[in-house]
Amino acid sequence: MQKLATGLHKFHAEVCRTHQDLFRSLARGQRPEALFITCSDSRINPNLITQTEPGDIFIVRNVGNIVPPYGAGGGSEAAAIEFAVAHLEVKHIIVCGHTLCGAMRGLLDPAGVEPLPAVKAWLQHAELTRRLVQENYPHIEGEDRLTITVEENVLAQIENLRTHPTVRARLARGELSLYAWVFKIETGQVFQFDASSGQYTPIGEAGPPSALPETAVFRRAC
Ligand code: ZN
């Protein structure tokens, strides 16, 4: 805890002082541009990898960056999505998975999560991912299989996202864009799903990230 205590002190003494205007303006309200849904994994820091400030992105984190279909979950994710989309009127929603994801490893190894009943139950919301990988990639093993599971899971959760009424309504009006990203822990790179090639490609410096098309997208099986 000493590291956290030292950090708190440093933040207050150094960062707050140099960002006074920002925090004053944030005290009047928030207007984030995007909803960022990612894994709870400690190795991902959404503000760090996107180089954004407090107030820029509304963040939802859980084990496996999962979005339960509307009406199927405990309600926490649905409430956050509804608040971000209908009240804060975010213009973009990003689902960002990551390589080496322990949750996706658990999805591939049900026996491994047997001692964790809450995790096991939560991963049922990724059943679509598990089945896609089982049926479409029977020949892929090891770490490659895990990476494909991470990539398929982001797309599966995007489809779940589309079942939420507020998301659907704004998509229909063209007021919302969805993005499928994977953060590669080993290199710090972020990949985005490119619907035309059916693959994930690095997000380049040229131009903004590519939004997904309105219809369901599929990773090209290999
Ligand atoms: Zn993870």
Side-chain angles (χ1 to χ4, degrees):
M1 282 302 283
Q2 187 53 47
K3 186 172 183 179
L4 273 67
T6 305
L8 286 172
H9 178 71
K10 187 176 177 194
F11 172 74
H12 188 67
E14 298 177 14
V15 181
C16 279
R17 204 168 47 200
T18 55
H19 290 69
Q20 281 181 353
D21 290 345
L22 172 64
F23 286 108
R24 269 196 210 108
S25 101
L26 290 177
R28 292 193 290 274
Q30 59 170 327
R31 204 74 185 157
E33 186 186 2
L35 164 60
F36 196 97
I37 301 171
T38 193
C39 187
S40 299
D41 194 298
S42 64
R43 297 167 292 182
I44 305 174
N45 182 329
N47 287 117
L48 183 68
I49 67 174
T50 58
Q51 291 290 283
T52 47
E53 301 271 7
D56 286 340
I57 53 176
F58 191 83
I59 302 171
V60 171
R61 303 189 73 154
N62 62 45
V63 172
N65 43 271
I66 284 169
V67 180
Y70 188 72
S76 168
E77 283 70 26
I81 291 164
E82 190 175 86
F83 185 76
V85 175
H87 182 70
L88 297 176
E89 299 182 342
V90 296
K91 299 281 184 287
H92 311 278
I93 304 181
I94 299 136
V95 177
C96 184
H98 67 99
T99 57
L100 310 172
C101 182
M104 293 303 104
R105 213 180 281 282
L107 193 66
L108 294 175
D109 175 28
V113 291
E114 210 52 58
L116 306 170
V119 172
K120 184 183 169 189
W122 175 246
L123 290 178
Q124 285 176 359
H125 296 303
E127 170 60 17
L128 172 58
T129 306
R130 195 194 62 75
R131 183 160 288 272
L132 273 168
V133 173
Q134 178 182 290
E135 294 194 7
N136 296 349
Y137 307 94
H139 52 293
I140 310 255
E141 296 176 344
E143 291 303 296
D144 287 345
R145 189 171 182 78
L146 178 59
T147 300
I148 283 171
T149 306
V150 167
E151 293 182 356
E152 286 285 14
N153 184 57
V154 170
L155 299 182
Q157 303 312 324
I158 288 279
E159 294 316 309
N160 287 347
L161 198 51
R162 294 188 207 266
T163 67
H164 289 250
T166 49
V167 172
R168 193 84 177 185
R170 281 194 186 256
L171 281 173
R173 294 205 296 278
E175 296 174 355
L176 188 64
S177 302
L178 307 182
Y179 304 82
W181 292 3
V182 170
F183 174 62
K184 188 171 182 180
I185 288 176
E186 303 92 319
T187 63
Q189 276 178 300
V190 179
F191 292 73
Q192 65 180 346
F193 186 73
D194 171 36
S196 58
S197 67
Q199 298 293 336
Y200 283 82
T201 56
I203 298 180
E205 288 180 16
S210 312
L212 296 169
E214 291 171 10
T215 49
V217 290
F218 297 96
R219 185 187 186 283
R220 188 161 297 162
C222 50

